[in-house]
Amino acid sequence: MSYKKIVMRRNKQIALVAHDNKKRDLVEWARFNRNLLAQHRLYATGTTGTILAEELELEILKLQSGPLGGDQQVGAKIAEGEIDFLIFFWDPLEPQPHDPDVKALLRMAGVWNIPVACNRASADFMISSPLMDKDYERLVPDYEVHRTRKVVIAG
Ligand SMILES: O=C(CO)COP(=O)(O)O
């Protein structure tokens, strides 16, 4: 895999998502880190975003609720290069009606080398990392080979 280096924008674009049993964890974490989060541009799936906007009194760009396509919207934003970090407290103990979308979102983060925090410990490491600094150059996979892939059609 070859990579292109990109200089990251000063204000990072962070997507915040939590399943219902994990919303309390995310809210507590976000309250504690409110001032750090306030320096960035925040996106969230519908219900998570509504709760966070109320709790933090910060502007949050709200997408659809997860089961209605919110995870897919976050995934699309990742593919379009609009999200720098994903904080996704997914529930490891309960199946979701939109599990395929959850998997697809995590897959997009993998495809585009996006840092993902799936719980409070990993979110702590992410938000406190010196790599959040504006000079950090992110490695973006170069998928030119895939884009120009030739498919031989028999017949
Ligand atoms: O279901 C979700 C993520 O998979 C989150 O959606 P809500 O923020 O709308 O609850």
Side-chain angles (χ1 to χ4, degrees):
M1 170 63 63
S2 63
Y3 290 88
K4 292 182 284 195
K5 274 187 178 177
I6 58 155
V7 179
M8 296 186 79
R9 48 199 142 223
R10 192 189 189 88
N11 299 321
K12 308 297 184 284
Q13 311 211 146
I14 303 177
L16 299 151
V17 184
H19 286 150
D20 288 356
N21 293 336
K22 294 287 166 183
K23 283 183 170 65
R24 177 186 288 271
D25 274 5
L26 183 62
V27 165
E28 286 175 10
W29 177 86
R31 262 199 224 123
F32 186 81
N33 291 291
R34 185 195 179 278
N35 293 344
L36 286 172
L37 288 171
Q39 297 166 24
H40 304 288
R41 195 168 157 77
L42 307 176
Y43 293 78
T45 47
T47 319
T48 306
T50 303
I51 296 171
L52 286 176
E54 237 176 70
E55 290 285 335
L56 306 179
E57 295 184 349
L58 288 177
E59 192 187 322
I60 299 190
L61 213 147
K62 289 191 273 298
L63 304 166
Q64 286 285 1
S65 179
L68 300 179
D71 296 53
Q72 296 215 19
Q73 286 179 297
V74 177
K77 288 196 176 297
I78 288 175
E80 287 164 2
E82 279 186 50
I83 300 291
D84 302 309
F85 293 93
L86 173 61
I87 294 177
F88 185 3
F89 288 10
W90 53 272
D91 186 348
L93 295 177
E94 200 161 86
Q96 306 292 320
H98 56 303
D99 268 336
D101 299 14
V102 172
K103 187 169 183 187
L105 170 53
L106 292 170
R107 179 175 174 276
M108 273 301 106
V111 166
W112 291 105
N113 194 32
I114 298 295
V116 183
C118 64
N119 51 33
R120 292 177 72 159
S122 49
D124 278 342
F125 274 86
M126 183 186 281
I127 200 85
S128 62
S129 169
L131 300 181
M132 272 279 193
D133 168 291
K134 70 176 164 55
D135 296 330
Y136 177 65
E137 289 181 329
R138 195 162 76 76
L139 292 177
V140 178
D142 182 354
Y143 288 115
E144 201 49 41
V145 178
H146 291 264
R147 265 182 226 114
T148 54
R149 190 165 61 102
K150 299 262 184 299
V151 177
V152 180
I153 298 167

